[in-house]
Each structure stands twice: as C-alpha cells, then as structure tokens.
Amino acid sequence: SSITIAILKVLLILSIILSLYSISLILSGNNFTILAQQDVETTKYRNMVIDLGNGLTTKAQLTIPAVGEGPFPGVVIFPGSGGSSVLPPTSPYANMAKYLSDRGFAVLLYDKRGVGPNFTISDSNAWGNLTFNAMKQDAEKALSVLLQQPEVNATKKATLIGHSEGTNIPPRVAVDNPDKVANIVLMAPVAEKWIDLIYSQEVAYPVRYAESVLDKGHTGQLSVKEASGDPIFQELVGGNLTQLLLTQTNVTDNSNVTLPNQNNSTDDDDDLISIEDELKPALVRVYENDTSPTVSQLSAKCINIYGCPSYGKSFSALESVIGMIGNVSSSTGILILEGKNDSQLPLEQALLLQQKLTEVNHPDHLIITYPDLGHTFVPSNQWVTSHGQIEEYVLKDMFEWLTSPARGIH
C-alpha cells in the first residue's frame, strides 16, 4: 500500500542518516587517535651529575625511550674539540641522542670537566689543566655510570660514538674495556697524530687555498688587500691576516709597521706578499705556539673554550689512532662516517682507518661517506665548515647499522 511504501522510504532515509553519522564518528575517532599519537611523548630525560673524582663533577643527561619495554641498549656520545656544552637545547649531539632514544636507545651526554652553559668555563682550574688522559678517565667513568642505570641493558654492552677530536676516545676505551663496549662509531675521525693534523689545518690548508684560489696568476704571491677581503681565507688564517703578518714581524709597537696593503704607493706589486716566504712562515709561527707551549703558558690561567696549552701538549704526545685501532676486539663493531667535504679532518683520515682495519682483518667494520657534507655532517663547501643539526639520513644510517640483523645484533 501507499502507507507501507512511505514508511519504507522514511526508514531508508533514517538508515542513511545513521550510517553517515557512524562514519563521521569513526573518522573523528581516527582523527583523535592520530592527534593523540602525535602528542605521545617518545623520549624522557633525566638530568644527572657525574662524580669525576677528586671533588670534580660534571653535568650530564640521560635520554630514555618513553615507549617500549626496557632495559634498553646504551650509548655514550663524545663530542669534538672545545668547551661548548653538549646538553640541550642547541647541541647537535642532543639532537642525535633524541633520534636514537626515539628508536630504542638510552643515550648519555655529559660535559667535559670545567665546562659551563652558553660557551662558558665554570671551573678554570679543571679546564685549564685538562689532558687527554683525564678525558679518557672521565669517559670510562661516564660509561660505568651509563651501565649502572636501571633503564640500560648492561649485558648488551654499550655503543661509544665519537665525533672529530672525540674519535680519539672510543677506540682506546674499547681496547681497555672490551667487556663493556659492543660498538664504536667514529664520525669525521682522527687517524694520524694530532700534531700533524694541526699542521694541516693551520698551515697546509691556508697555503693551499692561497695557491689555488687567491694566486690566480700562479705567481707564488697573493694580494693582501684581496686576501683580507676574502671571508673564507680570513677564517682559515684565524680571522685577521693583518694581525697574523704583524705577529710574524715580532714587533711590539705595531703603529710604526707598514704592511703592503697600507702602503700609499699605486704600484700593484706593493700589495703582494710571497706565499712561501711570508705567509707560510707566519702560519708556522702560530702552529708552533699552539703545539709547543712555553712553561709560562702552561702555568697561566686559561679559560679559552677552544682548548688550553695543557690540553694541546697532551694531545701532541698522543699515539695516532691508526697506530692502535687494530687492537680493538674483533667482537666490537666499528662504523666510520665521513663527509667528503670535510675541511678539518679530510676523507683521507677515514680511509686510513678503513685500510688499517682491512689489513688486520677486523670482521665487523664499515665506512660510509657523504658527498657535499662537511665536518659537522651538514652541507658545506670544501674549504670551511658549516654548522647546524646533523642531516637525518646520517643518523638513519647509524641507527640501521646498529640494529642490522646481518651483524647479529638482534
């Protein structure tokens, strides 16, 4: 009947409305779920103080996965040179720690002894007398502290990650503590003796830039005016070519000294200096001051965040990493990461370590290189280092190596 048909139409319309309402609820529920998942805390942090002995302490932070069941494999990160804090919020090492903790690792960051926040030195005595042996002892203390934490799986041993100057530490700690170290990761590594690397950075590299970029006519000379206006060259020679040349003259009263670019002559030759006979000796003098400090320099108070004379002297006496890395246990994995545009520790350093590990038949080592990345693993040109957060694909390669089933880790 017509009444029955009308009732059926009403029921059909109600059914459609209810269906659409249900779909809306489902979609809304999914949206709420997605938002909730985005807001879930994936990493927890615990601030710590590490007792280094003899009344010294340093600040540290343990980064822990907030999801998943522990205990988690542990990691310690050893930064490059200088006295800047490795703790959040600006440190690229803090970003690395979070990346690894988001993926199941408990990561310990700690400041070098004497280091304070915001590029300051909190203890001039501790910093001024810092040596490599003290740094290694602090590293071993930090490793022990990490493995004592309830969130860390000590039976799995730990991974030690070093960057730049910090790559001196993991191989040596691994050799002396094979029962505590599962892997070492060497980012922009040191291979040769420190004193030879400083010569490359402070003398050979600026000279090469002068010869290949500034000396356009290949005359063996450069224009002081042009060189002083080149920001890359100025950075390579310490920020001030004029001061560098004045220092080389050993003149105490610089007001009476006339440099080539200060001369009133219109002759272009008056603006030129010899790369080999004038620039290089000036650079060598700076290098010698940095690597052979005097007794008075060693005893003087030092708060230079780039390092103090005692620091440099101890590194000058240090055996090369290439000379000892073959002693790392065959059960310890070794990953080498290197940017091909690294202007501070060039690719050759990483290749030397790779060659040595191959010669000693180390069974678990890998090198990964990155075109266009510099010393800090951000895009850089071949002459100077750019700064910023480490490219995520570098961290992804590190994580995948650490967790690779092919290596028998899991």
Side-chain angles (χ1 to χ4, degrees), residues 10-336:
V10 171
L11 291 174
L12 178 61
I13 292 171
L14 287 173
S15 176
I16 291 171
I17 291 172
L18 288 171
S19 297
L20 291 172
Y21 181 70
S22 298
I23 291 171
S24 176
L25 284 176
I26 291 170
L27 291 175
S28 298
N30 283 342
N31 283 336
F32 287 136
T33 301
I34 291 169
L35 289 173
Q37 287 175 346
Q38 289 176 343
D39 292 338
V40 167
E41 184 183 32
T42 58
T43 305
K44 296 185 295 185
Y45 305 92
R46 187 164 78 245
N47 293 324
M48 305 170 64
V49 175
I50 296 178
D51 183 357
L52 301 176
N54 297 320
L56 285 174
T57 61
T58 193
K59 291 183 178 180
Q61 185 178 83
L62 185 66
T63 310
I64 315 158
V67 294
E69 293 186 9
F72 304 100
V75 172
V76 188
I77 297 175
F78 305 103
S81 62
S84 58
S85 175
V86 298
L87 304 182
T90 58
S91 166
Y93 303 109
N95 186 59
M96 184 195 304
K98 184 180 187 308
Y99 183 94
L100 292 173
S101 289
D102 282 345
R103 291 156 180 80
F105 288 86
V107 184
L108 181 67
L109 288 167
Y110 71 96
D111 283 334
K112 296 173 186 175
R113 58 172 65 192
V115 169
N118 302 318
F119 302 97
T120 61
I121 300 302
S122 61
D123 185 335
S124 61
N125 186 57
W127 178 250
N129 293 299
L130 180 62
T131 64
F132 178 78
N133 285 340
M135 289 178 63
K136 181 174 178 287
Q137 291 170 13
D138 295 349
E140 291 172 330
K141 179 67 175 181
L143 174 59
S144 295
V145 167
L146 171 75
L147 295 176
Q148 290 167 6
Q149 303 310 305
E151 300 91 346
V152 176
N153 188 345
T155 62
K156 291 285 188 180
K157 302 190 283 188
T159 293
L160 310 182
I161 301 175
H163 173 238
S164 187
E165 181 189 280
T167 60
N168 281 289
I169 295 175
R172 291 176 165 90
V173 173
V175 167
D176 292 344
N177 302 270
D179 57 325
K180 295 181 179 180
V181 181
N183 307 289
I184 62 174
V185 179
L186 308 177
M187 306 179 69
V190 170
E192 298 175 297
K193 284 181 68 68
W194 181 84
I195 197 168
D196 296 328
L197 295 172
I198 297 300
Y199 184 88
S200 295
Q201 292 174 3
E202 296 188 352
V203 181
Y205 216 61
V207 167
R208 182 149 68 94
Y209 184 88
E211 291 174 338
S212 60
V213 177
L214 299 178
D215 182 14
K216 298 179 176 64
H218 305 291
T219 62
Q221 297 177 309
L222 62 79
S223 160
V224 171
K225 182 177 180 180
E226 180 185 353
S228 297
D230 186 307
I232 292 178
F233 185 71
Q234 288 287 81
E235 182 172 339
L236 291 177
V237 299
N240 193 323
L241 174 61
T242 301
Q243 186 60 47
L244 176 74
L245 295 172
L246 286 172
T247 301
Q248 173 62 11
T249 64
N250 291 321
V251 175
T252 54
D253 181 7
N254 293 334
S255 61
N256 295 323
V257 177
T258 302
L259 291 173
N261 65 327
Q262 295 174 319
N263 200 306
N264 293 324
S265 170
T266 58
D267 189 341
D268 288 342
D269 289 344
D270 289 332
D271 180 49
L272 301 177
I273 62 171
S274 166
I275 294 173
E276 184 66 24
D277 297 332
E278 295 176 83
L279 173 64
K280 186 175 180 179
L283 295 168
V284 168
R285 183 177 181 84
V286 173
Y287 158 76
E288 290 174 345
N289 287 339
D290 288 344
T291 54
S292 302
T294 64
V295 173
S296 61
Q297 287 174 323
L298 288 169
S299 60
K301 179 180 177 180
C302 175
I303 56 172
N304 185 342
I305 64 168
Y306 297 106
C308 294
S310 294
Y311 190 73
K313 183 179 179 181
S314 71
F315 271 87
S316 295
L318 201 61
E319 179 190 8
S320 68
V321 176
I322 196 173
M324 56 72 55
I325 197 167
N327 299 326
V328 174
S329 170
S330 60
S331 64
T332 301
I334 304 175
L335 175 64
I336 301 170

